[in-house]
Amino acid sequence: MKEEKILSSVKDQQLIKVRREQIIKGAIKLFKEKGFHKTTTREIASESGFSIGTLYEYIRTKEDVLFLVCDSIHEQVRERIAQEIDLESPSVPNMMKAIRSYFYLMDEMQDEIVILYQEVKSLKKESRKHVLNSERDMVGIIENVINTCLEGKLSAQKVSLLANNIVVQGHMWGFRRWIMQKQFTLEAYMDEQLKMIEHAIK
Amino acid sequence: MKEEKILSSVKDQQLIKVRREQIIKGAIKLFKEKGFHKTTTREIASESGFSIGTLYEYIRTKEDVLFLVCDSIHEQVRERIAQEIDLESPSVPNMMKAIRSYFYLMDEMQDEIVILYQEVKSLKKESRKHVLNSERDMVGIIENVINTCLEGKLSAQKVSLLANNIVVQGHMWGFRRWIMQKQFTLEAYMDEQLKMIEHAIK
Amino acid sequence: MKEEKILSSVKDQQLIKVRREQIIKGAIKLFKEKGFHKTTTREIASESGFSIGTLYEYIRTKEDVLFLVCDSIHEQVRERIAQEIDLESPSVPNMMKAIRSYFYLMDEMQDEIVILYQEVKSLKKESRKHVLNSERDMVGIIENVINTCLEGKLSAQKVSLLANNIVVQGHMWGFRRWIMQKQFTLEAYMDEQLKMIEHAIK
Amino acid sequence: MKEEKILSSVKDQQLIKVRREQIIKGAIKLFKEKGFHKTTTREIASESGFSIGTLYEYIRTKEDVLFLVCDSIHEQVRERIAQEIDLESPSVPNMMKAIRSYFYLMDEMQDEIVILYQEVKSLKKESRKHVLNSERDMVGIIENVINTCLEGKLSAQKVSLLANNIVVQGHMWGFRRWIMQKQFTLEAYMDEQLKMIEHAIK
DNA sequence: GATGAATGAGTTTTCATTCAT
DNA sequence: TATGAATGAAAACTCATTCAT
């Protein structure tokens, strides 16, 4: 992980972890409400439960908070997906189940996903790269599910495209909620998308 | 359209149009490079070729510029699409041609699309609604193509979902360029997406 | 008068007079509502019925407008007072009648008087002097009434003080309206003030 | 008092008090010289001895400074008057002494009084109301002196009018200094005004 | 004479960051 | 380690004034 690269003047690693979790939690709440730019460091500090001075003991710049947040969101997604996807007995139905789990997760994490879509560009090159790599990993996980369940029936390119489509379809449920969630229930949305995917892999 | 709702202290409507086009052009260039928040009104003014005072003769607030930009992007997309889509002789191949045209357009307008994805949330409710409505219109156009070419073969819901998928697939070529354009040429991307769509409508 | 000292690029003296009257009328209306500082030259121009460019054909600076206004207010007071005060048959009752006339006038011109109290300090030294001289003239008129009617019964100092008191009592009916006009009708106010003045000159 | 209603981002109440006193002192100096509108917040900050950023830690808007100043002026007057007026043994001579004290105070605070006359209108409704109430209190104090010393000899209306006259006569020594102080010494001014008052209450 | 678009210096206000305690 | 007062660069926006048409 790259989080360690963010410097802190505090020595106690355990404390750093605790404080940063507070920061991430507070910041996500605020970013959901008003976005990164309209949130001030003072607000982040107070939402995190400590003073502005203390905040700056655990980060160097406001952008560090954004990085921490983006990284943490990916971390959460990764963890949850790892828990839910079961590739013990690979099969098309199990692949569908996995995708369904992913969609459920994306529904739960809508606001977080929107943060990623809107604020990643505010990261410096280096951090942005790291975050995009996490995103790439996510695609890799889906690709892996597909490959395992379809036993190489599809070309690598097709698998990659399908995986990306699935990932983005999960996102769009959230970032296009103003249109998708007006016309579909989550179940209907998933059913229809899955049907199309089934057609595509036949 | 809503552009007219942005007040200007200048009376000459023709001049307003010309100046606002300058503003939009300058602002898009800057927003592509550094985003809305990191672009200053002074930069917009000077990139547009006039003084800060003159800028403010044609807009009320910085947010007006963002609205002008978002609206103009949709306007461009709409115009171009209208030109290219030909529904005289509806057929599946013509539908594919239309989608291909749309993908080409999205390729050309990648940066603009990214602006929409990242900055629309900075608009006030009212303006955001207007912009999202333009987006809805875009989906409507695609739905129309599908319906015309498939002669009602698919349910309304399926059509809507398919149209949204196509629209977003056009966008993702741009906003996920760091992953898609590393693995696909534009042609390959379109070919593969179109194949999947063909499967889905069979 | 000093109004002539304000330069204009227009030659036609009659036109200058007409335009400046428009300016004064418009400006007084605006100054009453929002004060000198919060009124813009654009507003003055449009309230006067012409363009900003035309406004600047008849004045040099925004301060000129203020001077025009202050001078005009004094001019109006002077004119009206001259009309109303009749010193043909001097007597204490006639003096009281004159003071009463003055109070009525001050009641009518409350807002204008408030402008003087609040904005004269924004004039440049030169113009301020001129305006203060008009004010001095006003005191002179009242002194004259007193002297004529009391036939020199009071010392010059007493007359001067009494005149200043009367003048300011006229003003305070307006600039302390939030307290005076809550407790007194204009008639009651005048009656009581006149009674006190009568005591003082006995 | 209402000063507490002005928000500060600083927590230390004692420090707020100290800093605001600095602000008030600096601002009064500047307002005396150039008025509220021509004084910039930067000038206020530097005159107060700190940076513009620090100024804004103790106030919200420039208008807050004006309110602080107006409120403080009334506060000073109130304190000083309370000290000087002695109603232990009420009598006409003691009343005269009290008025004299008030006149002395007004002489000392001329510039401050002029600030009130010229700038109160720049306060928002709420703050203006508060300041005018302080002014009403001042009248109340004088009324109280009169009532106590004259044991109800005069009607309530007469007392109110007399008190207002006295208050304004105190002010006019300052705001009409260009005429009064050219013709009277402070002593002569007070003597003559007091004589007239004596006539009035007989 | 009249117009109104263009100008840019100047103003208020914000907020990330630092550092003494 | 934690605090929060101090800082000042930077930003949006205004408006008196000019001048070409």
Side-chain angles (χ1 to χ4, degrees):
Chain A
M1 228 176 318
K2 168 123 165 309
E3 185 184 324
E4 284 89 43
K5 288 195 190 156
I6 295 182
L7 295 178
S8 166
S9 44
V10 174
K11 308 290 165 195
D12 181 341
Q13 288 303 320
Q14 186 51 36
L15 187 54
I16 293 182
K17 219 185 142 196
V18 172
R19 290 278 178 268
R20 285 192 177 163
E21 266 159 24
Q22 291 178 275
I23 294 172
I24 289 164
K25 203 179 153 204
I28 287 185
K29 184 173 171 215
L30 293 164
F31 292 176
K32 280 179 185 178
E33 288 166 13
K34 34 199 328 210
F36 173 67
H37 282 101
K38 284 190 189 149
T39 301
T40 68
T41 51
R42 274 159 128 119
E43 288 170 319
I44 295 169
S46 107
E47 187 71 37
S48 308
F50 35 71
S51 71
I52 183 70
T54 301
L55 177 68
Y56 273 86
E57 295 291 318
Y58 296 94
I59 55 156
R60 288 275 164 222
T61 68
K62 191 186 175 192
E63 203 228 282
D64 282 351
V65 177
L66 181 56
F67 176 73
L68 246 28
V69 162
C70 292
D71 196 47
S72 155
I73 292 173
H74 273 122
E75 187 63 11
Q76 283 177 60
V77 175
R78 215 178 298 143
E79 260 176 44
R80 291 280 306 270
I81 281 294
Q83 274 172 32
E84 312 227 2
I85 288 181
D86 162 31
L87 290 180
E88 301 280 305
S89 49
S91 68
V92 170
N94 273 346
M95 169 176 152
M96 292 302 155
K97 233 179 92 190
I99 298 173
R100 218 171 260 272
S101 298
Y102 168 74
F103 280 164
Y104 275 123
L105 180 56
M106 288 302 100
D107 178 56
E108 275 180 57
M109 298 187 66
Q110 287 179 46
D111 292 329
E112 283 82 357
I113 298 303
V114 170
I115 292 175
L116 291 182
Y117 268 76
Q118 288 169 347
E119 314 293 5
V120 165
K121 66 123 199 319
S122 296
L123 293 171
K124 304 230 151 82
K125 227 181 182 175
E126 268 305 284
S127 319
R128 192 165 53 232
K129 254 186 199 162
H130 177 83
V131 173
L132 296 185
N133 272 335
S134 298
E135 187 59 26
R136 231 185 288 267
D137 293 346
M138 189 61 226
V139 178
I141 292 171
I142 303 288
E143 284 177 334
N144 194 25
V145 170
I146 298 172
N147 278 323
T148 312
C149 294
L150 297 192
E151 294 166 333
K153 240 180 71 185
L154 300 180
S155 72
Q157 265 213 336
K158 277 199 163 63
V159 170
S160 168
L161 186 61
L162 188 56
N164 273 286
N165 278 355
I166 291 166
V167 165
V168 170
Q169 281 162 13
H171 297 165
M172 78 187 254
W173 173 250
F175 70 63
R176 283 173 87 85
R177 65 184 81 166
W178 47 274
I179 182 162
M180 303 319 291
Q181 301 187 18
K182 285 250 162 79
Q183 300 181 50
F184 295 87
T185 62
L186 176 57
E187 293 301 327
Y189 179 74
M190 290 191 302
D191 290 347
E192 294 295 344
Q193 291 289 29
L194 288 173
K195 270 186 226 163
M196 289 217 233
I197 292 166
E198 275 179 333
H199 279 290
I201 63 179
K202 248 183 250 160
Chain B
M1 231 169 320
K2 168 123 166 307
E3 182 184 328
E4 284 88 46
K5 284 193 191 157
I6 295 184
L7 295 179
S8 166
S9 42
V10 173
K11 298 180 175 179
D12 181 338
Q13 288 302 322
Q14 186 52 35
L15 188 56
I16 292 181
K17 222 186 140 194
V18 172
R19 290 279 177 270
R20 286 193 175 161
E21 268 158 23
Q22 290 178 271
I23 293 172
I24 289 165
K25 204 179 150 203
I28 287 184
K29 186 175 167 211
L30 293 164
F31 292 176
K32 281 179 186 178
E33 288 166 14
K34 34 198 331 209
F36 173 68
H37 283 102
K38 285 191 187 149
T39 301
T40 69
T41 52
R42 292 192 118 83
E43 287 170 319
I44 295 170
S46 98
E47 186 71 37
S48 309
F50 33 70
S51 70
I52 183 70
T54 300
L55 176 67
Y56 275 91
E57 294 282 310
Y58 295 93
I59 54 155
R60 277 276 219 267
T61 66
K62 190 186 175 192
E63 204 226 283
D64 281 351
V65 177
L66 181 55
F67 177 72
L68 245 28
V69 162
C70 292
D71 196 47
S72 155
I73 293 173
H74 273 123
E75 186 64 10
Q76 283 176 59
V77 174
R78 211 178 301 142
E79 261 177 43
R80 290 280 306 270
I81 281 294
Q83 275 171 29
E84 312 226 2
I85 287 181
D86 163 32
L87 291 179
E88 302 279 304
S89 48
S91 67
V92 171
N94 273 345
M95 170 177 152
M96 291 303 154
K97 234 177 90 189
I99 299 172
R100 216 171 261 272
S101 298
Y102 168 72
F103 280 165
Y104 275 122
L105 180 56
M106 288 302 99
D107 178 55
E108 277 180 54
M109 297 187 66
Q110 288 179 44
D111 291 329
E112 283 82 357
I113 299 304
V114 170
I115 292 175
L116 291 183
Y117 268 76
Q118 287 169 346
E119 313 294 3
V120 165
K121 67 126 198 319
S122 298
L123 293 170
K124 306 228 146 88
K125 226 181 185 174
E126 267 305 284
S127 318
R128 193 165 53 233
K129 251 186 201 163
H130 176 83
V131 173
L132 295 185
N133 271 335
S134 298
E135 187 59 28
R136 230 185 286 268
D137 293 346
M138 189 62 227
V139 177
I141 292 170
I142 303 288
E143 285 178 333
N144 194 26
V145 170
I146 299 173
N147 278 324
T148 312
C149 294
L150 298 192
E151 295 166 331
K153 244 181 66 183
L154 299 180
S155 73
Q157 264 213 337
K158 276 200 164 62
V159 171
S160 166
L161 186 61
L162 187 56
N164 274 286
N165 279 352
I166 291 166
V167 166
V168 171
Q169 281 162 14
H171 297 165
M172 78 187 254
W173 173 250
F175 71 64
R176 283 174 88 83
R177 66 182 82 165
W178 47 275
I179 183 164
M180 305 316 293
Q181 301 187 18
K182 286 249 162 80
Q183 299 181 52
F184 295 87
T185 61
L186 176 57
E187 293 301 327
Y189 179 75
M190 290 191 301
D191 289 348
E192 293 296 344
Q193 291 289 29
L194 288 173
K195 270 186 226 163
M196 288 217 235
I197 292 165
E198 275 179 332
H199 279 291
I201 63 180
K202 248 184 252 160
Chain C
M1 230 176 317
K2 166 122 167 310
E3 184 185 327
E4 284 89 43
K5 287 193 192 157
I6 294 182
L7 295 178
S8 165
S9 45
V10 174
K11 308 291 166 195
D12 181 342
Q13 287 302 318
Q14 186 51 34
L15 187 55
I16 293 182
K17 220 185 142 196
V18 173
R19 290 279 178 268
R20 285 193 175 162
E21 266 158 23
Q22 291 177 273
I23 293 172
I24 289 164
K25 204 179 151 205
I28 286 184
K29 185 174 169 216
L30 293 164
F31 293 175
K32 282 179 184 177
E33 289 166 13
K34 36 199 329 210
F36 173 68
H37 282 101
K38 284 190 190 150
T39 302
T40 68
T41 50
R42 272 162 130 119
E43 288 171 318
I44 295 169
S46 106
E47 186 72 38
S48 308
F50 33 73
S51 72
I52 183 70
T54 302
L55 176 68
Y56 273 87
E57 296 290 317
Y58 296 95
I59 56 156
R60 288 275 165 222
T61 68
K62 190 186 175 192
E63 203 227 282
D64 281 352
V65 176
L66 181 56
F67 176 72
L68 246 27
V69 161
C70 292
D71 196 49
S72 156
I73 292 172
H74 272 123
E75 186 64 10
Q76 283 176 60
V77 174
R78 213 178 299 142
E79 260 177 43
R80 292 280 305 270
I81 281 293
Q83 275 171 31
E84 312 226 1
I85 289 181
D86 162 31
L87 290 179
E88 303 278 305
S89 49
S91 67
V92 170
N94 273 345
M95 169 177 151
M96 292 302 156
K97 233 179 91 190
I99 297 173
R100 217 171 260 270
S101 298
Y102 168 74
F103 280 166
Y104 276 123
L105 180 57
M106 288 302 99
D107 178 55
E108 278 179 55
M109 297 187 66
Q110 288 179 45
D111 292 328
E112 284 82 358
I113 299 303
V114 170
I115 292 175
L116 291 181
Y117 268 76
Q118 288 169 348
E119 314 293 4
V120 166
K121 65 124 199 320
S122 297
L123 294 170
K124 303 232 149 83
K125 225 180 185 176
E126 269 305 284
S127 318
R128 192 165 54 232
K129 252 186 200 163
H130 176 83
V131 173
L132 296 184
N133 271 336
S134 297
E135 186 61 27
R136 230 184 289 267
D137 293 346
M138 188 63 227
V139 178
I141 292 169
I142 304 287
E143 285 178 332
N144 195 25
V145 169
I146 300 172
N147 279 324
T148 312
C149 293
L150 298 191
E151 295 165 331
K153 243 182 67 184
L154 299 179
S155 72
Q157 265 216 335
K158 277 199 162 61
V159 171
S160 167
L161 187 61
L162 188 55
N164 274 286
N165 279 353
I166 291 166
V167 165
V168 171
Q169 282 162 14
H171 297 165
M172 77 188 255
W173 173 249
F175 71 64
R176 285 174 86 84
R177 67 183 80 167
W178 48 274
I179 184 164
M180 304 318 293
Q181 302 187 16
K182 284 252 162 76
Q183 299 181 52
F184 295 88
T185 62
L186 175 58
E187 294 301 326
Y189 179 74
M190 291 192 301
D191 289 348
E192 293 296 344
Q193 289 289 29
L194 288 172
K195 270 186 224 162
M196 290 219 233
I197 292 166
E198 275 178 333
H199 279 291
I201 62 180
K202 249 184 252 159
Chain D
M1 228 173 322
K2 165 122 165 311
E3 184 185 326
E4 284 90 47
K5 285 193 190 159
I6 294 184
L7 295 179
S8 165
S9 41
V10 171
K11 297 180 177 178
D12 182 338
Q13 289 301 321
Q14 186 52 37
L15 187 55
I16 292 181
K17 222 186 141 194
V18 172
R19 291 279 177 270
R20 285 193 176 162
E21 267 158 24
Q22 291 177 271
I23 293 172
I24 290 164
K25 206 179 150 204
I28 287 184
K29 187 175 167 213
L30 293 164
F31 293 175
K32 280 178 185 178
E33 289 166 14
K34 33 198 331 206
F36 172 68
H37 282 101
K38 284 191 188 149
T39 301
T40 67
T41 51
R42 293 195 113 83
E43 286 170 319
I44 295 169
S46 99
E47 187 70 38
S48 309
F50 32 70
S51 70
I52 183 68
T54 301
L55 176 68
Y56 275 89
E57 294 284 308
Y58 296 93
I59 55 155
R60 276 276 220 267
T61 65
K62 190 185 175 190
E63 204 226 283
D64 282 350
V65 176
L66 181 56
F67 177 73
L68 245 28
V69 162
C70 292
D71 195 49
S72 156
I73 293 173
H74 273 123
E75 186 63 11
Q76 282 176 61
V77 174
R78 211 178 301 143
E79 259 177 45
R80 291 280 305 269
I81 280 296
Q83 274 171 31
E84 312 227 4
I85 288 180
D86 162 32
L87 291 178
E88 302 280 304
S89 49
S91 68
V92 171
N94 272 344
M95 168 175 153
M96 292 302 156
K97 233 179 90 189
I99 297 172
R100 217 171 262 271
S101 298
Y102 168 73
F103 281 165
Y104 275 123
L105 180 56
M106 289 301 100
D107 179 55
E108 278 179 55
M109 297 188 65
Q110 288 179 45
D111 292 328
E112 282 81 359
I113 299 304
V114 170
I115 291 175
L116 291 182
Y117 269 77
Q118 287 168 348
E119 314 294 5
V120 165
K121 66 126 198 317
S122 298
L123 293 171
K124 306 230 146 88
K125 226 181 185 174
E126 267 306 284
S127 319
R128 192 165 55 232
K129 251 186 201 164
H130 176 83
V131 173
L132 296 184
N133 272 337
S134 297
E135 186 60 26
R136 232 183 287 267
D137 293 346
M138 188 63 228
V139 177
I141 292 171
I142 303 289
E143 284 177 334
N144 195 26
V145 170
I146 299 172
N147 279 324
T148 312
C149 294
L150 298 191
E151 295 164 333
K153 243 180 68 183
L154 299 180
S155 73
Q157 266 215 334
K158 276 200 164 61
V159 171
S160 168
L161 186 60
L162 188 56
N164 274 286
N165 279 353
I166 290 167
V167 165
V168 171
Q169 282 163 15
H171 296 165
M172 77 187 255
W173 173 249
F175 72 63
R176 284 172 86 84
R177 67 182 81 166
W178 47 275
I179 184 164
M180 305 318 292
Q181 301 187 18
K182 285 250 162 76
Q183 299 182 51
F184 295 88
T185 62
L186 175 58
E187 293 301 326
Y189 179 75
M190 290 190 303
D191 290 348
E192 293 297 345
Q193 289 290 29
L194 288 172
K195 271 186 224 161
M196 289 218 232
I197 291 165
E198 274 179 333
H199 281 289
I201 63 179
K202 247 183 250 159

